[in-house]
Amino acid sequence: MATIPKMRCYATLPHAPEPNQKKQANNNNRNELPRLMDFPEIIWPSALNTIKNWITVQFIIRPYFDSEFQIKDFIFGAKQALQVVSSKLTGGDLSQLQDLVSADAIAELKPVVSKLSMTQRKQLEINESDIYLSFPYQIGIIFDDANDKLQKRWVEITMVFHVMRGLSEMRERGEEIPWNMGTMPEYQDKVFICNYRFKKEFTAGQQSDWTINVANHFRAIDLINESK
């Protein structure tokens, strides 16, 4: 499976703060989220990956792995998983994630989450109704031919979620949602991006449930601040 290159794209991220906003930026730094896991930040879709993903689903997954697989159904379930996992991360009890998150991921998350302040932990909680954009960045197939009698195989899907905290309340109040809210200063501290990677075994007779082996939360504005 192709690896995701360690690169960032700032082309459509919020602009860096003006001088008169530096005091507020310094205050925000105290609430900046550290990286939960060692994984490159992914923000926007890749046109090439989108084409590859469609080919993978139509010509490999559905004919040979799961004839009923639908990416829209997967995204629906992934949103629910994001809400559940983020809630557990906020609570700090990662032992409750054993059926949803891989053991290696929990081992990497645990020391980071344990050091977060209460304010930082609260930033991790995601309400499914606050997700305004979600897409599969990469869908890959992993094969293991170590066993001559049985070829083991997995599907791995990297999802990207864009979240604005309080979006559902804005909709309930009938407020107009700006399409470019991620670039507007008044929304920058409310917009979060989550990268979650899901993996499922499709080996004949050994199929598993989807589990998460990457879970990252970050704010776009924090990436801008880091690059200065």
Side-chain angles (χ1 to χ4, degrees):
M1 174 181 174
T3 57
I4 299 173
K6 291 197 173 185
M7 57 186 297
R8 297 174 181 171
C9 174
Y10 298 108
T12 51
L13 291 181
H15 297 295
E18 297 294 331
N20 61 357
Q21 295 177 309
K22 286 185 177 180
K23 183 176 180 180
Q24 180 179 356
N26 290 334
N27 291 333
N28 288 339
N29 286 341
R30 291 196 293 266
N31 296 327
E32 182 177 333
L33 279 175
R35 296 297 173 270
L36 300 183
M37 298 186 68
D38 183 16
F39 192 77
E41 295 88 354
I42 306 169
I43 300 173
W44 301 113
S46 159
L48 180 59
N49 279 357
T50 299
I51 296 172
K52 289 181 177 179
N53 293 343
W54 184 85
I55 293 173
T56 300
V57 170
Q58 297 300 322
F59 296 100
I60 300 179
I61 295 178
R62 296 190 67 185
Y64 299 105
F65 291 6
D66 182 358
S67 61
E68 298 181 355
F69 180 84
Q70 295 286 345
I71 194 62
K72 64 178 182 179
D73 295 334
F74 174 83
I75 293 175
F76 177 80
K79 289 180 180 180
Q80 294 180 318
L82 169 62
Q83 178 170 297
V84 171
V85 171
S86 68
S87 177
K88 301 301 182 185
L89 291 175
T90 301
D93 187 2
L94 276 64
S95 63
Q96 298 184 36
L97 294 176
Q98 292 180 357
D99 294 333
L100 294 171
V101 181
S102 71
D104 288 344
I106 290 177
E108 187 173 347
L109 287 165
K110 192 171 183 178
V112 179
V113 173
S114 66
K115 295 178 182 178
L116 297 179
S117 67
M118 187 57 65
T119 299
Q120 289 172 319
R121 283 193 186 182
K122 287 181 179 179
Q123 293 183 57
L124 295 177
E125 189 162 18
I126 303 297
N127 188 329
E128 182 183 349
S129 59
D130 287 342
I131 301 172
Y132 65 90
L133 175 65
S134 57
F135 59 89
Y137 175 81
Q138 186 176 52
I139 302 176
I141 309 295
I142 303 172
F143 294 98
D144 184 356
D145 297 319
N147 188 333
D148 294 336
K149 297 182 180 179
L150 182 66
Q151 182 188 64
K152 298 180 73 66
R153 54 195 189 181
W154 297 263
V155 173
E156 198 169 60
I157 303 179
T158 302
M159 285 292 303
V160 178
F161 306 91
H162 288 228
V163 182
M164 197 191 80
R165 201 172 301 281
L167 179 61
S168 56
E169 287 82 358
M170 291 177 63
R171 287 171 171 164
E172 289 174 1
R173 293 192 297 265
E175 297 181 20
E176 183 177 352
I177 310 299
W179 64 270
N180 61 335
M181 57 187 173
T183 66
M184 301 173 67
E186 59 266 39
Y187 295 114
Q188 288 177 0
D189 63 338
K190 299 179 181 179
V191 175
F192 290 79
I193 301 171
C194 302
N195 295 162
Y196 275 51
R197 191 171 66 190
F198 297 79
K199 187 176 182 180
K200 179 176 180 177
E201 184 171 3
F202 282 92
T203 304
Q206 300 182 18
Q207 293 195 23
S208 66
D209 294 326
W210 289 101
T211 57
I212 296 165
N213 58 19
V214 168
N216 257 345
H217 295 226
F218 57 92
R219 297 188 306 177
I221 188 60
D222 289 340
L223 298 185
I224 287 293
N225 292 335
E226 289 177 8
S227 68
K228 292 187 298 181

